Amino acid sequence: QVQVQESGGGSVQAGGSLRLSCTASGLTYSNYCMGWFSQPPGKDRKRVALIDSDGRTDIADSVKGRFTISQDKAKNTGYLQIDGLIPDDTAMYYCVVDESGHCSLAVFGVWGQGTRVTVSS
């Protein structure tokens, strides 16, 4: 059974940086894709970053240039680097892992519990 655990959230001032981590356990296959969703208070979740099994990345236009996704396959761990934090980045950040081969996180993904990021001005 796949389990996903995020860490690295916290409270920071605008302009700062955070690196969120996501560790997946119980994986059967090494060809999985991993993504991050953010959910600001009172709003819907939206995908902000994805990295597929070949290492190709996709970053949402709204955060491009500030968010970077990477992974260490040997550790089954992924990272979301957030630079130039702004108050609008305040949200719960969820890591999702899909090893179905479809890389369809919203449909086949296993979700973590989330890690909270709060950005003050």
Side-chain angles (χ1 to χ4, degrees):
Q1 182 178 355
V2 177
Q3 292 185 316
V4 177
Q5 180 67 56
E6 306 94 336
S7 62
S11 297
V12 296
Q13 289 195 325
S17 297
L18 279 176
R19 188 174 81 157
L20 308 183
S21 298
C22 171
T23 299
S25 59
L27 292 167
T28 302
Y29 307 104
S30 61
N31 291 335
Y32 58 88
C33 69
M34 178 182 285
W36 290 89
F37 285 69
S38 73
Q39 185 169 21
K43 297 184 179 180
D44 294 333
R45 294 180 188 181
K46 61 179 181 180
R47 195 184 77 196
V48 293
L50 175 147
I51 185 165
D52 71 11
S53 57
D54 294 320
R56 292 172 296 200
T57 64
D58 182 65
I59 306 294
D61 288 342
S62 60
V63 298
K64 201 165 287 184
R66 298 193 300 114
F67 285 34
T68 306
I69 189 170
S70 62
Q71 67 181 16
D72 183 339
K73 276 287 189 76
K75 297 180 180 179
N76 287 336
T77 298
Y79 306 96
L80 183 68
Q81 177 72 34
I82 309 176
D83 298 315
L85 279 155
I86 60 176
D88 282 351
D89 293 328
T90 295
M92 283 292 286
Y93 286 79
Y94 297 91
C95 179
V96 190
V97 174
D98 172 16
E99 61 171 354
S100 72
H102 298 284
C103 201
S104 181
L105 297 173
V107 177
F108 298 108
V110 176
W111 293 72
Q113 293 295 311
T115 186
R116 186 176 301 277
V117 172
T118 302
V119 184
S120 58
S121 57

Short mmCIF file of all heavy atoms in Angstrom, two decimals, residues 50-95:
data_model
loop_
_atom_site.label_atom_id
_atom_site.label_comp_id
_atom_site.label_asym_id
_atom_site.label_seq_id
_atom_site.Cartn_x
_atom_site.Cartn_y
_atom_site.Cartn_z
N LEU A 50 4.42 19.07 -11.32
CA LEU A 50 4.39 17.64 -11.58
C LEU A 50 5.74 17.22 -12.15
O LEU A 50 6.37 17.99 -12.90
CB LEU A 50 3.28 17.32 -12.57
CG LEU A 50 3.14 15.87 -13.07
CD1 LEU A 50 1.67 15.55 -13.33
CD2 LEU A 50 3.94 15.63 -14.34
N ILE A 51 6.17 16.04 -11.79
CA ILE A 51 7.36 15.46 -12.39
C ILE A 51 7.02 14.02 -12.76
O ILE A 51 6.49 13.27 -11.93
CB ILE A 51 8.58 15.55 -11.45
CG1 ILE A 51 9.85 15.05 -12.15
CG2 ILE A 51 8.35 14.85 -10.13
CD1 ILE A 51 11.14 15.44 -11.41
N ASP A 52 7.28 13.66 -14.02
CA ASP A 52 6.88 12.32 -14.44
C ASP A 52 8.02 11.33 -14.25
O ASP A 52 9.10 11.67 -13.74
CB ASP A 52 6.34 12.33 -15.88
CG ASP A 52 7.42 12.57 -16.93
OD1 ASP A 52 8.63 12.51 -16.61
OD2 ASP A 52 7.05 12.81 -18.09
N SER A 53 7.78 10.10 -14.66
CA SER A 53 8.75 9.04 -14.40
C SER A 53 10.06 9.24 -15.17
O SER A 53 11.08 8.66 -14.82
CB SER A 53 8.15 7.68 -14.75
OG SER A 53 7.72 7.66 -16.10
N ASP A 54 10.03 10.06 -16.21
CA ASP A 54 11.25 10.35 -16.97
C ASP A 54 11.93 11.62 -16.50
O ASP A 54 12.92 12.05 -17.10
CB ASP A 54 10.92 10.48 -18.46
CG ASP A 54 10.47 9.17 -19.07
OD1 ASP A 54 11.06 8.12 -18.70
OD2 ASP A 54 9.53 9.18 -19.88
N GLY A 55 11.38 12.23 -15.47
CA GLY A 55 11.98 13.44 -14.93
C GLY A 55 11.52 14.72 -15.59
O GLY A 55 12.03 15.80 -15.28
N ARG A 56 10.56 14.60 -16.50
CA ARG A 56 10.05 15.82 -17.12
C ARG A 56 9.14 16.53 -16.15
O ARG A 56 8.37 15.90 -15.44
CB ARG A 56 9.31 15.47 -18.41
CG ARG A 56 10.22 14.95 -19.50
CD ARG A 56 9.44 14.42 -20.67
NE ARG A 56 8.63 13.27 -20.31
CZ ARG A 56 8.15 12.39 -21.18
NH1 ARG A 56 8.41 12.55 -22.47
NH2 ARG A 56 7.41 11.38 -20.79
N THR A 57 9.23 17.83 -16.15
CA THR A 57 8.47 18.62 -15.18
C THR A 57 7.45 19.52 -15.85
O THR A 57 7.59 19.89 -17.02
CB THR A 57 9.41 19.47 -14.31
OG1 THR A 57 10.08 20.41 -15.14
CG2 THR A 57 10.42 18.60 -13.59
N ASP A 58 6.44 19.83 -15.10
CA ASP A 58 5.43 20.78 -15.55
C ASP A 58 5.06 21.66 -14.36
O ASP A 58 4.69 21.14 -13.30
CB ASP A 58 4.19 20.05 -16.08
CG ASP A 58 3.15 21.02 -16.59
OD1 ASP A 58 3.41 21.71 -17.59
OD2 ASP A 58 2.05 21.11 -15.99
N ILE A 59 5.22 22.95 -14.55
CA ILE A 59 4.92 23.90 -13.49
C ILE A 59 3.77 24.79 -13.94
O ILE A 59 3.75 25.26 -15.09
CB ILE A 59 6.15 24.79 -13.19
CG1 ILE A 59 7.38 23.93 -12.87
CG2 ILE A 59 5.85 25.76 -12.05
CD1 ILE A 59 7.28 23.13 -11.61
N ALA A 60 2.82 25.03 -13.06
CA ALA A 60 1.69 25.89 -13.40
C ALA A 60 2.19 27.28 -13.76
O ALA A 60 3.14 27.80 -13.15
CB ALA A 60 0.72 25.97 -12.23
N ASP A 61 1.57 27.87 -14.75
CA ASP A 61 1.99 29.20 -15.21
C ASP A 61 1.98 30.23 -14.08
O ASP A 61 2.84 31.11 -14.04
CB ASP A 61 1.07 29.68 -16.34
CG ASP A 61 1.30 28.94 -17.63
OD1 ASP A 61 2.37 28.30 -17.78
OD2 ASP A 61 0.41 28.98 -18.50
N SER A 62 1.03 30.08 -13.17
CA SER A 62 0.87 31.08 -12.11
C SER A 62 2.05 31.11 -11.15
O SER A 62 2.25 32.12 -10.45
CB SER A 62 -0.42 30.81 -11.33
OG SER A 62 -0.39 29.52 -10.75
N VAL A 63 2.84 30.04 -11.10
CA VAL A 63 3.97 29.98 -10.16
C VAL A 63 5.29 29.72 -10.86
O VAL A 63 6.33 29.54 -10.21
CB VAL A 63 3.73 28.91 -9.08
CG1 VAL A 63 2.50 29.25 -8.25
CG2 VAL A 63 3.62 27.53 -9.69
N LYS A 64 5.26 29.70 -12.17
CA LYS A 64 6.48 29.43 -12.93
C LYS A 64 7.52 30.50 -12.61
O LYS A 64 7.21 31.69 -12.53
CB LYS A 64 6.15 29.42 -14.43
CG LYS A 64 7.16 28.68 -15.29
CD LYS A 64 6.59 28.39 -16.67
CE LYS A 64 5.57 27.30 -16.63
NZ LYS A 64 5.07 26.92 -17.99
N GLY A 65 8.73 30.04 -12.44
CA GLY A 65 9.80 30.96 -12.09
C GLY A 65 10.06 31.03 -10.60
O GLY A 65 11.12 31.48 -10.17
N ARG A 66 9.10 30.60 -9.80
CA ARG A 66 9.27 30.60 -8.35
C ARG A 66 9.23 29.20 -7.76
O ARG A 66 9.81 28.95 -6.71
CB ARG A 66 8.20 31.46 -7.69
CG ARG A 66 8.23 32.92 -8.09
CD ARG A 66 7.36 33.78 -7.17
NE ARG A 66 5.96 33.37 -7.19
CZ ARG A 66 5.32 32.85 -6.14
NH1 ARG A 66 5.97 32.68 -5.00
NH2 ARG A 66 4.05 32.52 -6.24
N PHE A 67 8.51 28.29 -8.41
CA PHE A 67 8.37 26.92 -7.92
C PHE A 67 9.22 26.00 -8.77
O PHE A 67 9.22 26.11 -10.01
CB PHE A 67 6.92 26.45 -8.00
CG PHE A 67 5.99 27.03 -6.95
CD1 PHE A 67 6.15 28.32 -6.48
CD2 PHE A 67 4.95 26.26 -6.47
CE1 PHE A 67 5.29 28.84 -5.52
CE2 PHE A 67 4.07 26.77 -5.52
CZ PHE A 67 4.24 28.06 -5.05
N THR A 68 9.91 25.10 -8.13
CA THR A 68 10.72 24.10 -8.82
C THR A 68 10.46 22.74 -8.21
O THR A 68 10.48 22.59 -6.99
CB THR A 68 12.22 24.42 -8.70
OG1 THR A 68 12.48 25.76 -9.16
CG2 THR A 68 13.05 23.44 -9.53
N ILE A 69 10.21 21.77 -9.05
CA ILE A 69 9.99 20.40 -8.57
C ILE A 69 11.18 19.54 -8.96
O ILE A 69 11.74 19.69 -10.05
CB ILE A 69 8.67 19.82 -9.11
CG1 ILE A 69 8.35 18.49 -8.43
CG2 ILE A 69 8.70 19.68 -10.63
CD1 ILE A 69 6.94 17.95 -8.74
N SER A 70 11.56 18.66 -8.06
CA SER A 70 12.66 17.75 -8.33
C SER A 70 12.42 16.47 -7.54
O SER A 70 11.49 16.39 -6.74
CB SER A 70 14.00 18.38 -7.94
OG SER A 70 14.03 18.66 -6.56
N GLN A 71 13.27 15.49 -7.79
CA GLN A 71 13.11 14.25 -7.04
C GLN A 71 14.42 13.49 -6.94
O GLN A 71 15.32 13.68 -7.75
CB GLN A 71 12.05 13.35 -7.69
CG GLN A 71 12.43 12.81 -9.06
CD GLN A 71 11.32 11.96 -9.65
OE1 GLN A 71 10.17 11.99 -9.21
NE2 GLN A 71 11.66 11.17 -10.65
N ASP A 72 14.48 12.68 -5.92
CA ASP A 72 15.58 11.75 -5.72
C ASP A 72 14.96 10.36 -5.77
O ASP A 72 14.40 9.88 -4.78
CB ASP A 72 16.26 12.02 -4.38
CG ASP A 72 17.47 11.14 -4.15
OD1 ASP A 72 17.57 10.08 -4.81
OD2 ASP A 72 18.30 11.50 -3.32
N LYS A 73 15.06 9.72 -6.94
CA LYS A 73 14.39 8.43 -7.12
C LYS A 73 14.95 7.38 -6.17
O LYS A 73 14.24 6.50 -5.71
CB LYS A 73 14.55 7.95 -8.57
CG LYS A 73 13.51 8.51 -9.54
CD LYS A 73 12.16 7.87 -9.32
CE LYS A 73 11.13 8.20 -10.36
NZ LYS A 73 11.28 7.50 -11.61
N ALA A 74 16.22 7.48 -5.86
CA ALA A 74 16.83 6.49 -4.97
C ALA A 74 16.20 6.52 -3.59
O ALA A 74 16.17 5.51 -2.89
CB ALA A 74 18.33 6.73 -4.87
N LYS A 75 15.69 7.68 -3.21
CA LYS A 75 15.07 7.82 -1.90
C LYS A 75 13.55 7.85 -1.98
O LYS A 75 12.89 8.02 -0.95
CB LYS A 75 15.57 9.12 -1.24
CG LYS A 75 17.05 9.15 -0.95
CD LYS A 75 17.45 10.47 -0.29
CE LYS A 75 18.93 10.51 0.00
NZ LYS A 75 19.34 11.80 0.62
N ASN A 76 13.01 7.73 -3.21
CA ASN A 76 11.56 7.87 -3.40
C ASN A 76 11.05 9.15 -2.76
O ASN A 76 9.98 9.18 -2.13
CB ASN A 76 10.80 6.66 -2.84
CG ASN A 76 10.98 5.42 -3.69
OD1 ASN A 76 11.27 5.52 -4.89
ND2 ASN A 76 10.83 4.27 -3.10
N THR A 77 11.81 10.19 -2.93
CA THR A 77 11.50 11.47 -2.33
C THR A 77 11.49 12.56 -3.38
O THR A 77 12.36 12.60 -4.26
CB THR A 77 12.52 11.82 -1.23
OG1 THR A 77 12.44 10.83 -0.20
CG2 THR A 77 12.23 13.18 -0.62
N GLY A 78 10.49 13.40 -3.29
CA GLY A 78 10.40 14.54 -4.18
C GLY A 78 10.43 15.83 -3.38
O GLY A 78 10.22 15.84 -2.16
N TYR A 79 10.71 16.91 -4.09
CA TYR A 79 10.85 18.20 -3.43
C TYR A 79 10.11 19.28 -4.22
O TYR A 79 10.04 19.23 -5.45
CB TYR A 79 12.32 18.58 -3.33
CG TYR A 79 13.18 17.53 -2.67
CD1 TYR A 79 13.89 16.62 -3.44
CD2 TYR A 79 13.25 17.43 -1.28
CE1 TYR A 79 14.66 15.63 -2.85
CE2 TYR A 79 14.03 16.44 -0.69
CZ TYR A 79 14.72 15.55 -1.47
OH TYR A 79 15.48 14.56 -0.88
N LEU A 80 9.58 20.22 -3.50
CA LEU A 80 9.02 21.42 -4.12
C LEU A 80 9.74 22.61 -3.50
O LEU A 80 9.55 22.91 -2.32
CB LEU A 80 7.52 21.52 -3.89
CG LEU A 80 6.85 22.71 -4.57
CD1 LEU A 80 6.87 22.53 -6.10
CD2 LEU A 80 5.40 22.89 -4.09
N GLN A 81 10.57 23.25 -4.29
CA GLN A 81 11.28 24.43 -3.85
C GLN A 81 10.44 25.65 -4.19
O GLN A 81 10.05 25.82 -5.35
CB GLN A 81 12.65 24.53 -4.55
CG GLN A 81 13.45 25.78 -4.21
CD GLN A 81 14.01 25.77 -2.81
OE1 GLN A 81 14.37 24.72 -2.29
NE2 GLN A 81 14.09 26.94 -2.19
N ILE A 82 10.16 26.46 -3.20
CA ILE A 82 9.36 27.66 -3.41
C ILE A 82 10.20 28.86 -3.02
O ILE A 82 10.60 29.00 -1.86
CB ILE A 82 8.06 27.66 -2.58
CG1 ILE A 82 7.29 26.35 -2.77
CG2 ILE A 82 7.20 28.84 -2.97
CD1 ILE A 82 6.05 26.23 -1.89
N ASP A 83 10.48 29.70 -3.98
CA ASP A 83 11.26 30.91 -3.75
C ASP A 83 10.39 32.14 -3.92
O ASP A 83 9.35 32.09 -4.57
CB ASP A 83 12.44 30.96 -4.73
CG ASP A 83 13.40 29.80 -4.55
OD1 ASP A 83 13.75 29.49 -3.39
OD2 ASP A 83 13.81 29.20 -5.56
N GLY A 84 10.84 33.24 -3.36
CA GLY A 84 10.08 34.48 -3.51
C GLY A 84 8.65 34.34 -3.02
O GLY A 84 7.71 34.76 -3.69
N LEU A 85 8.48 33.74 -1.84
CA LEU A 85 7.14 33.48 -1.33
C LEU A 85 6.35 34.78 -1.20
O LEU A 85 6.89 35.83 -0.81
CB LEU A 85 7.23 32.79 0.03
CG LEU A 85 7.49 31.29 -0.03
CD1 LEU A 85 8.16 30.79 1.23
CD2 LEU A 85 6.19 30.54 -0.29
N ILE A 86 5.08 34.68 -1.55
CA ILE A 86 4.14 35.79 -1.43
C ILE A 86 2.95 35.33 -0.58
O ILE A 86 2.69 34.12 -0.47
CB ILE A 86 3.67 36.28 -2.81
CG1 ILE A 86 2.96 35.15 -3.58
CG2 ILE A 86 4.85 36.83 -3.62
CD1 ILE A 86 2.39 35.59 -4.93
N PRO A 87 2.22 36.27 0.02
CA PRO A 87 1.08 35.86 0.86
C PRO A 87 0.08 34.96 0.13
O PRO A 87 -0.53 34.08 0.76
CB PRO A 87 0.45 37.20 1.26
CG PRO A 87 1.61 38.14 1.31
CD PRO A 87 2.49 37.72 0.15
N ASP A 88 -0.07 35.14 -1.17
CA ASP A 88 -1.00 34.28 -1.93
C ASP A 88 -0.55 32.83 -2.00
O ASP A 88 -1.32 31.96 -2.42
CB ASP A 88 -1.19 34.83 -3.35
CG ASP A 88 -2.14 36.02 -3.38
OD1 ASP A 88 -2.77 36.32 -2.34
OD2 ASP A 88 -2.24 36.66 -4.44
N ASP A 89 0.68 32.55 -1.61
CA ASP A 89 1.14 31.16 -1.58
C ASP A 89 0.66 30.44 -0.32
O ASP A 89 0.86 29.22 -0.19
CB ASP A 89 2.68 31.11 -1.61
CG ASP A 89 3.27 31.60 -2.91
OD1 ASP A 89 2.62 31.42 -3.96
OD2 ASP A 89 4.37 32.17 -2.88
N THR A 90 0.07 31.18 0.60
CA THR A 90 -0.46 30.56 1.82
C THR A 90 -1.49 29.50 1.44
O THR A 90 -2.48 29.78 0.77
CB THR A 90 -1.10 31.62 2.72
OG1 THR A 90 -0.09 32.52 3.16
CG2 THR A 90 -1.77 30.98 3.92
N ALA A 91 -1.22 28.27 1.88
CA ALA A 91 -2.07 27.15 1.47
C ALA A 91 -1.61 25.88 2.15
O ALA A 91 -0.52 25.83 2.74
CB ALA A 91 -1.98 26.95 -0.06
N MET A 92 -2.45 24.86 2.06
CA MET A 92 -2.01 23.51 2.34
C MET A 92 -1.43 22.97 1.03
O MET A 92 -2.02 23.14 -0.03
CB MET A 92 -3.17 22.64 2.78
CG MET A 92 -3.61 22.84 4.21
SD MET A 92 -2.37 22.28 5.42
CE MET A 92 -2.55 20.50 5.27
N TYR A 93 -0.30 22.33 1.16
CA TYR A 93 0.35 21.74 -0.01
C TYR A 93 0.32 20.22 0.13
O TYR A 93 0.78 19.67 1.13
CB TYR A 93 1.78 22.25 -0.14
CG TYR A 93 1.82 23.68 -0.63
CD1 TYR A 93 1.58 24.74 0.23
CD2 TYR A 93 2.06 23.97 -1.98
CE1 TYR A 93 1.59 26.05 -0.22
CE2 TYR A 93 2.08 25.27 -2.43
CZ TYR A 93 1.83 26.31 -1.55
OH TYR A 93 1.84 27.60 -2.02
N TYR A 94 -0.24 19.59 -0.89
CA TYR A 94 -0.39 18.15 -0.88
C TYR A 94 0.50 17.53 -1.95
O TYR A 94 0.55 18.01 -3.09
CB TYR A 94 -1.84 17.76 -1.18
CG TYR A 94 -2.83 18.24 -0.15
CD1 TYR A 94 -3.46 19.48 -0.28
CD2 TYR A 94 -3.16 17.45 0.95
CE1 TYR A 94 -4.37 19.92 0.66
CE2 TYR A 94 -4.08 17.88 1.89
CZ TYR A 94 -4.68 19.12 1.74
OH TYR A 94 -5.59 19.56 2.68
N CYS A 95 1.14 16.46 -1.57
CA CYS A 95 1.91 15.66 -2.52
C CYS A 95 1.05 14.49 -2.96
O CYS A 95 0.33 13.90 -2.14
CB CYS A 95 3.19 15.18 -1.87
SG CYS A 95 4.22 14.14 -2.94
#
